[in-house]
Amino acid sequence: QVQLVESGGGLVQPGGSLRLSCAASRNIFSINAMGWYRQAPGKERELVARITSSGTTTYADALKGRFTISRDNAKNTVYLQMSSLKPEDTAVYYCNVVGVYIVTMTRGDYWGQGTQVTVSS
């Protein structure tokens, strides 16, 4: 099955930075888009940023300028560089990949297990 391995979450002080990584297993290919979503307690999951195979990026309006998404197609990996972090950025961050699973040869929408980001002094 497709596996997305996330890393880089943790506790950071306000104004600090973190870099999240998400590596997709090699059994997924023809990846259209990779992205990050987040869910804070009591709130719905929301888009943070996504990037297509051609490098087109989309960001949540409120996060533009502070967060940067990038990807390494050769490694099936997507990154999220977060800076000037605020307490309201505290959430579980989920990696998302849209691509073809090699076993079924069908396109699917896959999610990581989530990584906690806590911004607090």
Side-chain angles (χ1 to χ4, degrees), residues 1-2 5 13-15 23 40 53-54 60 62 66 73 80 99 102 111 115:
Q1 64 187 51
V2 174
V5 179
Q13 291 187 342
S53 57
S54 61
R66 294 195 298 121
N73 291 332
L80 184 69
I102 198 170
W111 294 88
T115 184

Side-chain angles (χ1 to χ4, degrees), residues 43-59:
K43 295 187 177 181
E44 293 186 353
R45 190 174 298 188
E46 62 177 3
L47 172 71
V48 174
R50 69 192 296 268
I51 183 168
T52 67
S53 57
S54 61
T56 301
T57 57
T58 303
Y59 292 93

Side-chain angles (χ1 to χ4, degrees), residues 2-7 20-25 28 31-38 45-53 69-71 76-80 92-100 107-115:
V2 174
Q3 291 185 326
L4 304 180
V5 179
E6 300 157 335
S7 60
L20 305 182
S21 299
C22 172
S25 53
I28 183 170
I31 295 175
N32 295 93
M34 306 180 82
W36 292 93
Y37 290 72
R38 69 184 184 184
R45 190 174 298 188
E46 62 177 3
L47 172 71
V48 174
R50 69 192 296 268
I51 183 168
T52 67
S53 57
I69 191 169
S70 61
R71 64 188 280 179
N76 269 12
T77 300
V78 62
Y79 306 96
L80 184 69
V92 178
Y93 284 70
Y94 295 92
C95 176
N96 172 257
V97 172
V98 179
V100 177
R107 188 167 301 281
D109 199 358
Y110 302 96
W111 294 88
Q113 79 285 357
T115 184

